[in-house]
Amino acid sequence: MILRQILRLSSLFRSAVSVHVRRNIGLSAIVFNKTKELDPVQKLFLDKIREYTTKSRQAGGPVDAGPDFQKDLNESLARLQRAYGEGDLTKFPEFKFE
């Protein structure tokens, strides 16, 4: 009888420990990946995205866009305005649900 209770408690203890260990291993893997140094290609890619973002903010729009780009953009917006009616086509639409 006592042996049966000891075996039952030991199996409960093992299952609780295994769950705890699996959770800690999963959490430590996530933390390790976040603190790990980036791949050089990933770092270069992120640096270029950040550089483009700052240039875009300074230019107030697309970077290195000439007059041809602006002309094409205006023509496309006018064509869409005629096709779909009123509203500002450069902004995301606002939805109102009741």
Side-chain angles (χ1 to χ4, degrees), residues 39-56:
D39 181 303
V41 175
Q42 289 175 333
K43 185 175 181 337
L44 180 65
F45 181 72
L46 289 175
D47 290 343
K48 288 294 180 179
I49 288 175
R50 290 180 183 127
E51 178 184 340
Y52 183 84
T53 302
T54 57
K55 285 183 180 180
S56 176

Side-chain angles (χ1 to χ4, degrees), residues 74-91:
N74 290 338
E75 288 175 0
S76 298
L77 287 175
R79 188 172 52 249
L80 288 170
Q81 194 76 31
R82 285 191 304 270
Y84 295 108
E86 57 198 58
D88 188 9
L89 298 176
T90 60
K91 294 184 181 176

Side-chain angles (χ1 to χ4, degrees), residues 1-77:
M1 177 100 169
I2 294 174
L3 182 61
R4 195 178 298 162
Q5 287 179 347
I6 291 173
L7 290 175
R8 188 178 63 161
L9 288 175
S10 68
S11 68
L12 289 173
F13 180 73
R14 267 186 284 147
S15 67
V17 168
S18 71
V19 168
H20 185 68
V21 167
R22 274 187 276 149
R23 286 183 183 166
N24 284 338
I25 288 173
L27 182 62
S28 63
I30 292 170
V31 170
F32 177 72
N33 283 337
K34 291 205 184 270
T35 59
K36 181 174 65 170
E37 187 62 35
L38 288 177
D39 181 303
V41 175
Q42 289 175 333
K43 185 175 181 337
L44 180 65
F45 181 72
L46 289 175
D47 290 343
K48 288 294 180 179
I49 288 175
R50 290 180 183 127
E51 178 184 340
Y52 183 84
T53 302
T54 57
K55 285 183 180 180
S56 176
R57 286 184 183 150
Q58 290 172 353
V63 177
D64 298 332
D68 292 336
F69 174 79
Q70 192 63 36
K71 180 183 169 196
D72 291 341
L73 178 66
N74 290 338
E75 288 175 0
S76 298
L77 287 175

